Amino acid sequence: MTHTSESTYKNIQGAISKAGQDLGFSAATIADMTEPYNVINQTVSVDGVGNVDMYRVQYNNALGPYKGGIRFHPAVDLDEVKTLAITMMLKCSLVGIPMGGAKGGATIDPRDLSDAQIEAVARAWARTMAPYIGVDKDIPAPDVNTNGQTMSYMLDEFEKTVGRSEPGVITGKPIALGGSQGREQATSQGGVYVLEHLLTHLPDRAGDKRVIVQGFGNVGSFAALILAERGFTIVGVSDSKGGVYDPRGLDVVAIAKEKNSNRTSLQDLFASDDEVQKVTNEELLVLDCDILIPAALEGQITVENAADIKAGLILELANNPTSSEADLILKERDVIVVPDFLANAGGVTVSYLEWVQNRQQYYWTAEEVDHKLKPIMTTASEAVYQTSINSSLTLREAGFRLAVQRIGEAVALRGRV
Ligand code: NAD
């Protein structure tokens, strides 16, 4: 277990308890929201790979079936999966999706594996978890190092195992297998809707609209591209090898094109351009900008760097990028933090819309999907903002209060406690 996941998990449980107490829920109702309903943790022998630790954690299905992604990463452990699962529970509740929380993973480093080995791990994960997932039970999706291809293998293996077609068992599928228009960029698009809505209340935070994005994977690259299209200037971006910074602005369309076709690191792309600064990921976070977007892994903003961050607003597109100690420092410094479970909820929202389309076997255009995503994100942002103002809470505290209110009410109505 990593120290970061362990402390992040305890902090989220603590924040749910605090919100639950403030709302007057009983100790039993609070306990129902803070502990997982099911933990599946098996070591599975995968042909050609060896033993792989596989996880699925399910958190509170009072609002509906469990929902959450699957991560393939060497740092995946039970605490990390629990942390991500409890966050999914909050996220679904906060944006009003009728689903509970879940997360899954396999402890592998995909960079060490061939495509065939990754497929074998994906199929083994689906076979192992087949008894626990299902269209009305628990619906997985992609997360770090998994994608539409991984979901395709998992769908195929699950359907073979249960002996029937069930496209809605998994989301984030390619369009050809029942995926939704707009899913690929949904997390970033949703985050941009949240940001733009909050900036209508906080116009001074936009500054000169200079943005730094940490992480240039699915979420980070689409966030940079969408924001650039909407008139923001992307001054810094990074990947796991390091970052590049140019106060004049970076051509993110060219960067994305080059990175997709050549798979080179960002710093290599600019190796011969002396005007673009090459920086470490640590340095990138504290460089001058108006809006900072962590879009890589957890635990990036800590006591070590929170006091040095120049941005006036942080949009958390990654899950759990800010430690709770750092959160306090940022609060004292009046840096506004848009919490992950609001900022990146566009991903699960379009996953939910994919599930709805699979169930009705009728598919929407990209415009129709976007037309449904935007009001969901804007309504949640407005509710969080108003709660923060009316109750003198940070946006994160307000988000906890609203999310816990919905889940707690559903738990109480069902008479579960
Ligand atoms: P991804 O694997 O596509 O991209 C991750 C990016 O982070 C890559 O560019 C990688 O090079 C970079 N990276 C890895 N380690 C880094 C480090 N130490 N410092 C800086 N950069 C580093 O993953 P993704 O799907 O874009 O997910 C990114 C984050 O967003 C994760 O926290 C994930 O949980 C969260 N998230 C993703 C979705 C989604 O729809 N994909 C939805 C909600 C939340």
Side-chain angles (χ1 to χ4, degrees):
M1 116 192 11
T2 61
H3 173 71
T4 319
S5 334
E6 189 189 3
S7 56
T8 308
Y9 182 56
K10 291 206 170 109
N11 288 330
I12 294 173
Q13 287 179 308
I16 292 174
S17 298
K18 163 92 175 61
Q21 282 157 11
D22 290 347
L23 289 161
F25 285 121
S26 69
T29 306
I30 292 171
D32 200 72
M33 293 185 271
T34 48
E35 292 301 327
Y37 279 13
N38 297 303
V39 174
I40 303 116
N41 176 5
Q42 292 187 21
T43 304
V44 180
S45 170
V46 181
D47 277 352
V49 179
N51 284 345
V52 177
D53 288 332
M54 297 192 180
Y55 303 90
R56 188 73 180 165
V57 172
Q58 298 170 327
Y59 250 99
N60 206 303
N61 60 0
L63 287 171
Y66 307 108
K67 177 101 196 75
I70 305 162
R71 181 173 290 198
F72 285 180
H73 195 275
V76 163
D77 64 10
L78 190 54
D79 258 314
E80 181 175 271
V81 181
K82 279 183 176 175
T83 307
L84 293 163
I86 199 169
T87 304
M88 286 304 299
M89 172 189 80
L90 294 165
K91 206 181 288 189
C92 292
S93 172
L94 185 59
V95 293
I97 288 172
M99 286 174 161
K103 206 78 185 190
T107 316
I108 53 163
D109 192 340
R111 286 174 304 187
D112 297 341
L113 301 180
S114 66
D115 288 351
Q117 288 173 311
I118 293 171
E119 176 180 348
V121 173
R123 288 188 181 278
W125 194 96
R127 270 194 312 277
T128 306
M129 302 302 169
Y132 311 103
I133 62 176
V135 66
D136 283 317
K137 223 182 209 179
D138 180 354
I139 304 108
D143 190 66
V144 175
N145 292 329
T146 56
N147 54 28
Q149 179 61 73
T150 329
M151 298 305 106
S152 305
Y153 294 139
M154 289 184 170
L155 173 70
D156 188 62
E157 196 64 29
F158 174 83
E159 290 185 339
K160 271 197 242 170
T161 307
V162 300
R164 62 173 179 274
S165 166
E166 198 171 309
V169 67
I170 210 156
T171 58
K173 300 180 294 291
I175 302 286
L177 291 183
S180 179
Q181 299 288 344
R183 174 62 186 89
E184 223 186 358
Q185 69 273 28
T187 303
S188 317
Q189 182 67 70
V192 171
Y193 287 142
V194 170
L195 175 68
E196 290 187 331
H197 185 77
L198 291 173
L199 288 178
T200 62
H201 290 295
L202 305 158
D204 59 314
R205 298 293 165 146
D208 294 323
K209 297 177 124 184
R210 294 166 309 141
V211 180
I212 287 177
V213 183
Q214 185 201 36
F216 206 72
N218 175 287
V219 174
S221 64
F222 276 115
L225 288 166
I226 297 168
L227 286 169
E229 210 178 270
R230 290 178 179 249
F232 291 78
T233 306
I234 313 303
V235 292
V237 292
S238 69
D239 57 25
S240 58
K241 304 265 163 51
V244 290
Y245 181 79
D246 186 342
R248 298 166 306 174
L250 295 159
D251 181 352
V252 286
V253 176
I255 294 175
K257 214 166 158 187
E258 195 64 31
K259 211 166 153 48
N260 285 340
S261 48
N262 295 331
R263 289 181 158 204
T264 38
S265 77
L266 289 165
Q267 292 198 345
D268 283 350
L269 277 180
F270 290 93
S272 57
D273 188 340
D274 291 338
E275 298 205 37
V276 173
Q277 291 175 47
K278 322 298 180 293
V279 295
T280 63
N281 260 298
E282 292 74 40
E283 288 164 346
L284 184 85
L285 295 174
V286 298
L287 286 172
D288 199 27
C289 67
D290 302 300
I291 294 159
L292 175 64
I293 304 186
L297 296 174
E298 66 168 21
Q300 300 298 304
I301 301 172
T302 65
V303 277
E304 306 290 327
N305 59 13
D308 299 322
I309 282 175
K310 310 288 183 305
L313 186 146
I314 298 174
L315 182 74
E316 293 186 335
L317 290 188
N319 283 312
N320 305 309
T322 311
S323 75
S324 55
E325 297 87 350
D327 219 25
L328 283 176
I329 297 171
L330 295 167
K331 182 178 175 179
E332 274 164 23
R333 293 187 54 223
D334 188 33
V335 176
I336 291 191
V337 182
V338 186
D340 52 2
F341 59 108
L342 173 64
N344 70 29
V348 73
T349 300
V350 175
S351 266
Y352 159 67
L353 296 174
E354 178 177 336
W355 177 81
V356 172
Q357 292 170 83
N358 294 149
R359 308 210 65 172
Q360 65 186 15
Q361 295 283 17
Y362 181 73
Y363 290 83
W364 297 319
T365 62
E367 291 70 31
E368 286 171 313
V369 171
D370 191 56
H371 214 70
K372 293 173 171 45
L373 171 67
K374 190 174 181 183
I376 292 175
M377 301 311 296
T378 307
T379 302
S381 305
E382 180 65 14
V384 170
Y385 180 74
Q386 291 304 338
T387 304
S388 84
I389 294 298
N390 295 339
S391 303
S392 301
L393 300 171
T394 63
L395 295 180
R396 194 186 308 279
E397 291 160 348
F400 272 107
R401 182 171 292 188
L402 288 166
V404 165
Q405 167 87 58
R406 285 201 185 109
I407 307 163
E409 190 184 345
V411 167
L413 281 168
R414 284 171 182 273
R416 280 191 179 170
V417 291

